[in-house]
Amino acid sequence: MSLTSASRTNLNSGERLLRSNLPIVFLSLAMVVAILGALTVGRYPVPFTEVARIVFTTNPFNAVIPHDDKAWIAVAMIRMPRVLLVTLCGIGLALSGAAMQGVFRNPLVGPEIAGVSSGASLGGVIAIAAGAGSLAIVGLSFAFGLLALIGAYGLAALGGRSNTLALVLAGFVVSGFCTSMFGLIQTLVESTTKLPSIVYWLLGSFVGATYEKVLLVAVITVLAGSLVLALRWRINLLSLGEDDARALGTNVNILRWVLMGLVSLIVAAQVAVSGGVGWVGLIIPHMARLLVGPEHGRLLPASALLGGIYLLSMDTIARTASTQEIPIGLLTSAIGTPIFAYLFWRLQVTGWARD
Amino acid sequence: MNVGLCSSRAPASPRSLRGTLPMLPIVILAVIAVMLASMPPSLSRNQPVGTLKDASGHSIALAPPARRIVMFPPVLWDYLGLGADAKRLAAVSKLVRDSVTDSILHATYPAIAAVSTVVTRGAGTALPADAEDVMRHDPDAVLSWDALSDNLTNLDLPVVKLLLNAKTRGNEPHTADIANLRVMANLTGEQRTAEEMVGTYLAAVKRVSRRADEARAAAGRPSRAMFLSVRGGGQLYLEAPPFLQGRALQMAGADTKDFLPAGNFSAEQLLIWDPDVIFLDCCYGNHTPPAFFYDDPRFAGMSAVHNRRIYVAPAGVARMENMLEWPLLVSWLAEVLYPGHMAHTVRSDLARLYQEHYGFRPTPLELDTMLAIAENAASRDYALVGGAGH
């Protein structure tokens, strides 16, 4: 092979690399734009040039900000943690939803399937009812989310079955129980401040985002999300069907339980920091499937990026669109449901596959 | 579900560059987030030019009097009662603003309608939301309920925490309100007025309690009475101690020991309890006139219905819950419970209260509205109580 043809081959490999990941590249750029846009928008007026200066030319790590530098505070202490938190939660929820739809081979599945979301909500409600501070709300919510997962696993195992149906049913039971419990608490708490606090927390909001919350979600997203991404090839095998996956050497049960556990960690962390935010894990994988196809090697990262962009956009609207803070869970539901209706109709027409 | 394994675009190997490239943006973002969250920026300490202690005992860096106050909780009536300047309010929650603009005294405080509103979680709540919006108003004091201000204190905003008076303690139902009033007085430099208000309140509570005891003794036996509201779907809600309405009823000399605990209860339970007198909350839940019970055949056998002793409580300007109005609520309750055994002064007392503390002399028609004359027209002896001096 001559030098010229060797160079041509390398260029072609590079081009091929870029082309095959073009949607991911675009989504990555879109995420960067969304993040910068969200940092620019807010109620405290900070000029775009000032935002750019703060983001690109100042070192934020362990920086000590003068207490009267309102622009810095607005960008670095209020917007930045919120933007990071929202983006990471969107990434986590969408990634989890795509993984669960692959595991269960069901387009109507979301990441809340094991009842973790309801369990985490119950923990948060208990903490608010007890008058606890925000860190305790996060801690208790996360703990109850994990307890709900253990409860669902235990309930499924009690029946002597380890298949997905048993786990889904157990998740329903756990979810129903937790929902009734936090409904009961709402009828008992003081109605002037605690009841509205509970109601608005359950509707979902990223108000009060702090770097501590970012750390919790970021660590879990890095650890659990990386493991989910690492298993994306095996989800491909699962989506062939259980028998085919077993024939190809996959331990289906263990893989399923591991993925559900990882997804539950991600969901528990999200609910702990923001309350209930639904529909992201359900609709974003479908949108990503339209962009990159059903192969999970591309689908999971694409879902994650799209989920981050989507939730960040919703949160930016929630905190700026009106004179009141709109609960983000309402926005994701109000906007997500018509999108899902359209996607579902389209999937009925074209099927799951996109060759 | 076709996962593309058999398609012309076979997936990349997990270990190849093509396989790992899609993960890179997410990993980079997550790592940056972890780094930033592990080494976050922080605020330099605000050197106090003066200090103020809030109701929860925390010190705030502030040199009173405050000139730009952001107010979340509904304490505006106490603030105005201190004689503090409405122009010092940089922003208030919609709940606070509406408490004045929707009241009968709105014309006395026209400046309140022009005060900016601050973003809250939910239109009618005192829950702080966007810290940027608070910062935008450049406050030197932010009034908030104690348990709700984490997202503001984390940013070193000058949050002055107030205590929520959801429950009463012993014979001092407004312990938290008194503490809050003194904090606001320190904030605005109106300490003398605050002490006068506290003195007025304590004297009024003592006086009305004595009058109620005398009326009850003269009546021979205490009336069995309850305070309730009707909520969505016709749900009955008992407002028993430790809540203010229930506490007021106890102080007014009613027998309330059977009517516990506060909360939802059924129509059947109401029939079992069968109180002598029922008071309906003017403002919580659905506005419900006595006719709701008089016209409902389910309640026809009840003593309170048979004897026409169901009354809507007066609304006053602040639901008769604040320190200045609450003793008058107790007085009103006692006068309705024991109409032949007390002098009927609540009408003139109410007029004098607003004149002295808010500079507002209500007209007879306005007093009729405050005392719910029309709603209670069909109830026994109400002309004697509410219309006295008309």
Side-chain angles (χ1 to χ4, degrees):
Chain A
M1 185 188 288
S2 71
L3 188 61
T4 310
S5 58
S7 305
R8 206 179 301 131
T9 304
N10 285 339
L11 276 173
N12 287 341
S13 299
E15 268 181 19
R16 272 202 305 273
L17 184 65
L18 191 61
R19 273 193 198 151
S20 68
N21 287 293
L22 214 49
I24 302 292
V25 172
F26 277 133
L27 287 173
S28 304
L29 289 173
M31 176 170 282
V32 172
V33 168
I35 289 174
L36 290 175
L39 287 172
T40 312
V41 172
R43 292 184 201 272
Y44 190 83
V46 182
F48 176 73
T49 47
E50 187 67 9
V51 174
R53 184 190 69 81
I54 292 169
V55 172
F56 293 116
T57 70
T58 55
N59 178 6
F61 301 108
N62 286 328
V64 177
I65 306 169
H67 68 270
D68 55 358
D69 191 340
K70 299 284 193 291
W72 238 108
I73 293 174
V75 174
M77 301 287 290
I78 299 177
R79 293 179 199 173
M80 183 66 85
R82 184 164 179 162
V83 164
L84 286 175
L85 190 65
V86 172
T87 309
L88 288 168
C89 285
I91 286 172
L93 285 174
L95 180 70
S96 304
M100 287 294 95
Q101 287 176 4
V103 165
F104 288 96
R105 302 178 72 219
N106 188 321
L108 295 179
V109 159
E112 303 88 6
I113 195 162
V116 172
S117 185
S118 301
S121 297
L122 176 59
V125 167
I126 290 172
I128 296 172
S134 56
L135 279 181
I137 293 171
V138 171
L140 211 58
S141 178
F142 188 68
F144 268 71
L146 297 185
L147 277 175
L149 173 67
I150 293 168
Y153 274 16
L155 209 53
L158 267 180
R161 291 170 174 267
S162 60
N163 60 26
T164 51
L165 180 62
L167 194 51
V168 168
L169 288 174
F172 268 128
V173 168
V174 168
S175 184
F177 177 75
C178 293
T179 304
S180 68
M181 283 299 107
F182 64 70
L184 177 64
I185 292 172
Q186 286 178 78
T187 65
L188 296 174
V189 292
E190 172 267 311
S191 59
T192 312
T193 57
K194 285 192 180 160
L195 183 58
S197 292
I198 288 172
V199 167
Y200 286 107
W201 187 82
L202 287 172
L203 289 175
S205 173
F206 288 93
V207 162
T210 60
Y211 282 111
E212 286 86 2
K213 292 179 182 175
V214 172
L215 188 62
L216 170 71
V217 173
V219 165
I220 288 178
T221 302
V222 166
L223 294 175
S226 300
L227 288 172
V228 171
L229 283 167
L231 291 170
R232 64 196 187 279
W233 316 103
R234 294 183 187 272
I235 299 176
N236 281 344
L237 299 177
L238 268 184
S239 59
L240 292 175
E242 282 190 27
D243 293 335
D244 289 342
R246 282 201 183 94
L248 288 167
T250 300
N251 189 325
V252 170
N253 286 337
I254 289 180
L255 180 61
R256 197 178 281 140
W257 290 96
V258 165
L259 281 166
M260 289 202 66
L262 292 171
V263 160
S264 298
L265 274 177
I266 293 171
V267 170
Q270 177 269 309
V271 175
V273 300
S274 68
V277 179
W279 290 91
V280 177
L282 187 53
I283 67 165
I284 295 300
H286 291 290
M287 293 171 74
R289 212 168 271 119
L290 290 174
L291 280 175
V292 299
E295 191 273 307
H296 288 83
R298 285 189 296 275
L299 178 63
L300 291 191
S303 295
L305 289 168
L306 201 49
I309 294 166
Y310 174 72
L311 200 60
L312 186 56
S313 308
M314 293 295 103
D315 186 63
T316 305
I317 295 171
R319 66 183 170 90
T320 56
S322 84
T323 53
Q324 304 305 325
E325 172 100 11
I326 304 172
I328 192 170
L330 293 184
L331 265 185
T332 55
S333 302
I335 291 173
T337 42
I339 294 175
F340 184 69
Y342 167 73
L343 289 172
F344 193 65
W345 166 78
R346 195 181 156 134
L347 283 168
Q348 294 298 300
V349 171
T350 63
W352 274 78
R354 190 190 74 125
D355 290 326
Chain B
M1 185 169 68
N2 181 351
V3 298
L5 287 178
C6 299
S7 74
S8 56
R9 265 187 303 169
S13 155
R15 294 184 187 83
S16 72
L17 181 60
R18 190 152 68 96
T20 52
L21 194 63
M23 296 165 49
L24 264 181
I26 299 158
V27 173
I28 290 171
L29 177 69
V31 167
I32 291 174
V34 170
M35 284 173 59
L36 196 50
S38 304
M39 296 179 285
S42 57
L43 290 172
S44 64
R45 290 188 72 83
N46 191 1
Q47 294 303 316
V49 293
T51 54
L52 175 85
K53 263 207 162 59
D54 66 17
S56 66
H58 291 115
S59 293
I60 299 106
L62 168 68
R67 287 184 168 75
R68 294 190 59 76
I69 299 172
V70 169
M71 183 185 287
F72 281 99
V75 294
L76 186 54
W77 284 114
D78 288 334
Y79 178 87
L80 295 172
L82 283 171
D85 192 352
K87 292 196 185 89
R88 290 202 183 150
L89 296 170
V92 297
S93 61
K94 190 170 178 299
L95 172 72
V96 167
R97 194 176 68 178
D98 290 350
S99 68
V100 172
T101 57
D102 289 349
S103 82
I104 211 156
L105 264 64
H106 69 274
T108 312
Y109 299 101
I112 299 299
V115 175
S116 298
T117 50
V118 66
V119 172
T120 54
R121 297 180 66 177
T125 73
L127 307 178
D130 192 349
E132 279 192 54
D133 192 51
V134 175
M135 257 175 34
R136 180 169 70 87
H137 294 290
D138 194 24
D140 49 15
V142 180
L143 294 173
S144 175
W145 291 134
D146 186 4
L148 299 179
S149 40
D150 280 356
N151 64 319
L152 302 179
T153 50
N154 289 342
L155 296 165
D156 207 27
L157 284 167
V159 177
V160 178
K161 295 181 186 178
L162 303 180
L163 299 176
L164 178 62
N165 189 52
K167 297 186 177 187
T168 59
R169 290 192 193 116
N171 290 321
E172 296 179 31
H174 287 87
T175 308
D177 288 347
I178 291 173
N180 294 340
L181 186 76
R182 287 181 170 139
V183 167
M184 283 195 287
N186 289 337
L187 203 60
T188 55
E190 302 287 349
Q191 289 91 337
R192 204 172 77 167
T193 311
E195 293 312 315
E196 284 171 6
M197 284 171 71
V198 172
T200 302
Y201 162 76
L202 292 173
V205 165
K206 205 168 163 182
R207 186 172 57 247
V208 77
S209 186
R210 180 181 46 79
R211 287 181 69 215
D213 286 344
E214 286 167 1
R216 187 184 57 214
R221 74 163 185 92
S223 286
R224 294 173 70 249
M226 64 165 45
F227 221 121
L228 64 86
S229 57
V230 181
R231 304 211 168 170
Q235 174 65 60
L236 302 174
Y237 188 94
L238 179 66
E239 294 181 6
F243 295 105
L244 281 173
Q245 288 77 10
R247 190 69 185 88
L249 204 46
Q250 276 184 338
M251 193 170 274
D255 177 3
T256 62
K257 63 178 181 306
D258 293 334
F259 311 134
L260 286 169
N264 291 335
F265 68 99
S266 65
E268 272 190 42
Q269 183 60 58
L270 185 59
L271 296 179
I272 293 169
W273 277 332
D274 192 24
D276 299 327
V277 186
I278 293 176
F279 295 103
L280 300 172
D281 198 302
C282 63
C283 314
Y284 289 113
N286 305 331
H287 184 76
T288 308
F292 176 86
F293 293 90
Y294 295 154
D295 297 342
D296 191 328
R298 292 179 299 165
F299 305 118
M302 283 175 53
S303 314
V305 170
H306 180 71
N307 297 324
R308 290 304 212 228
R309 296 201 72 194
I310 301 180
Y311 307 89
V312 176
V317 292
R319 301 173 175 175
M320 306 289 282
E321 283 182 343
N322 67 9
M323 271 171 52
L324 292 177
E325 290 183 305
W326 191 81
L328 285 178
L329 173 66
V330 177
S331 183
W332 178 87
L333 288 166
E335 289 185 25
V336 171
L337 284 169
Y338 309 110
H341 303 284
M342 275 183 83
H344 297 296
T345 61
V346 69
R347 193 179 177 91
S348 53
D349 289 342
L350 209 58
R352 189 167 46 248
L353 172 91
Y354 298 129
Q355 175 71 45
E356 281 176 10
H357 290 280
Y358 301 116
F360 169 73
R361 180 99 199 163
T363 63
L365 203 59
E366 283 165 340
L367 279 171
D368 286 351
T369 306
M370 284 183 192
L371 289 167
I373 294 287
E375 289 94 330
N376 292 320
S379 297
R380 200 175 87 183
D381 291 331
Y382 199 67
L384 195 63
V385 174
H390 196 319

